[in-house]
Amino acid sequence: MTATLEVATLEVQHVDVELGGVSILRDISFDVRPGQTLGIVGPNGAGKTTILNVISAVVPTVKGQVLFKGRPLGQLRPHRVRDLGIGRSLQSTHYFHDMTVLNLVSLGSLRNTVWGALRFSDHRKLARRGEPSRAAEVLDLLGLTHYADRPLGELSTAVQKLVDMARALAVGTDLVLLDEPTSGVSGAERGVVTTALSKLRELGVTIVLIDHDPGFVMANCDQLMAMNFGEVLKIGNPREVMDSPEVRQSYLGDSQY
Ligand SMILES: Nc1ncnc2c1ncn2[C@@H]1O[C@H](COP(=O)(O)OP(=O)(O)O)[C@@H](O)[C@H]1O
Ligand SMILES: [Mg+2]
C-alpha cells in the first residue's frame, strides 16, 4: 500500500464541543498517520485534554466526528473505544496511588469492562481479572519490572508517568494518547520519559502527545498542533509551528523558549 492510500490511524474532523452550555472546542480537525506522533501544545485551558476526552468518548461532540483506522467511532461508549485498542494516560495519576504497579497496568489489559468509575478496592479485585502476562510484557518494555509490587504513590513522578504510559500500552499499541507525560517531572528525570517515548516510536505506536515543553515536543513529534481558546492556531512541522509568529504571540507571549 502506498503512503497516499494508507488509512490514517486517527482522523478528527470538524469537531465542536460544548460543556455546560459553554463552547470548549471549535472546528478541530487533524489526522495522524500510522506510526506518527502528533504533539499538541497550548496554554492551560486551551482544550488539549478535551480533545483526548473526545477521542476516548468521555465527552460528546456537538458537531464533527472521530475516525479510528477509517471507522467512525460514532456513539461508542468509552470502554468500547478502549476495547478497540485506544490507550490513554492521564494528566494526573493520583487516583491510583494506593495500587501496585502490576495491578494498575493489569487494569489496562481488561476488556469489556467499565472500571473508570469504581472504588479503589474494586479496582484491585478487577485487576486480578486482567492479563498479568500482557502487563508484565509492557512493564518489561519500559524497564519497570522491578517496580511491579510497589504502590504507585511511593514512586517518583517520572516513574508514575511511565507506569501510566504502560497501563495505556496494555490497552493497545495502535493508538496511545499521552496527557502531559513530563508535567511535574524534574529536569533530570525528563530523559527517562523521553527514552520511553522513543521506544514507543520505534515500535511503531501511533501517538498523540500533549506537553508544555517546546523542546520535548519538537524532539519527539512528527507533527505539532498549537491551540488557543478551543481552536487550532497552526498545525504542521513542529519547528515551523513553534517559530510561527501567531504561536509565539499567543502561546508563549513571545517570550524565549
Ligand atoms: N467537564 C467540564 N465542564 C465544563 N467545562 C470544562 C469541563 N472540562 C473542561 N472544561 C473547560 O474546558 C476548557 C478546556 O479544558 P482542558 O481541555 O482541560 O484544557 P487544557 O488541557 O488545554 O488545559 C477549560 O476552560 C475548562 O475549564
Ligand atoms: Mg490538560
Side-chain angles (χ1 to χ4, degrees):
M1 195 182 267
T2 65
T4 47
L5 290 176
E6 193 177 53
V7 175
T9 301
L10 176 70
E11 293 166 80
V12 172
Q13 299 176 336
H14 304 292
V15 160
D16 285 4
V17 167
E18 287 177 11
L19 294 171
V22 177
S23 168
I24 305 289
L25 296 178
R26 283 171 303 284
D27 201 24
I28 303 292
S29 292
F30 61 88
D31 58 40
V32 192
R33 321 297 305 178
Q36 299 272 293
T37 300
L38 170 83
I40 305 179
V41 292
N44 279 337
K48 305 179 299 296
T49 296
T50 305
I51 289 182
L52 301 195
N53 286 341
V54 167
I55 300 165
S56 1
V58 177
V59 304
T61 57
V62 289
K63 202 163 86 39
Q65 64 173 353
V66 177
L67 291 86
F68 178 55
K69 298 182 186 170
R71 176 187 158 186
L73 294 181
Q75 304 301 314
L76 285 182
R77 302 278 311 281
H79 67 286
R80 296 288 174 210
V81 171
R82 183 199 61 206
D83 288 355
L84 295 176
I86 301 180
R88 172 182 182 175
S89 77
L90 299 172
Q91 192 166 348
S92 170
T93 51
H94 73 267
Y95 318 100
F96 305 124
H97 271 183
D98 65 347
M99 289 189 78
T100 67
V101 167
L102 184 65
N103 275 350
L104 178 57
V105 177
S106 292
L107 275 184
S109 70
L110 285 168
R111 291 290 171 274
N112 198 21
T113 316
V114 181
W115 57 267
L118 297 178
R119 292 193 312 273
F120 291 121
S121 53
D122 295 325
H123 280 153
R124 277 195 288 268
K125 274 183 223 148
L126 264 184
R128 285 186 218 121
R129 289 179 19 209
E131 286 178 51
S133 59
R134 172 89 189 122
E137 203 179 303
V138 291
L139 287 178
D140 182 46
L141 176 77
L142 295 181
L144 296 168
T145 306
H146 56 293
Y147 295 115
D149 296 323
R150 300 272 301 275
L152 196 68
E154 285 181 3
L155 307 173
S156 71
T157 308
V159 175
Q160 289 185 27
K161 295 279 184 181
L162 291 198
V163 171
D164 204 38
M165 213 184 269
R167 181 185 57 74
L169 276 179
V171 171
T173 51
D174 287 338
L175 177 61
V176 173
L177 315 171
L178 303 175
D179 200 345
E180 302 205 18
T182 68
S183 75
V185 177
S186 68
E189 281 197 304
R190 272 176 192 235
V192 176
V193 180
T194 307
T195 305
L197 201 56
S198 304
K199 277 189 197 161
L200 304 199
R201 280 159 63 75
E202 277 163 26
L203 277 177
V205 178
T206 310
I207 301 168
V208 178
L209 166 74
I210 297 175
D211 210 89
H212 274 298
D213 180 343
F216 184 78
V217 286
M218 281 191 285
N220 293 292
C221 296
D222 302 294
Q223 269 199 100
L224 188 61
M225 177 166 89
M227 297 182 65
N228 203 8
F229 299 120
E231 292 177 356
V232 176
L233 268 181
K234 202 167 177 69
I235 184 162
N237 170 280
R239 166 59 71 180
E240 286 170 18
V241 168
M242 287 313 291
D243 282 348
S244 68
E246 62 265 53
V247 172
R248 292 182 66 94
Q249 188 64 40
S250 67
Y251 172 51
L252 301 157
D254 216 12
S255 62
Q256 285 294 312
Y257 60 86

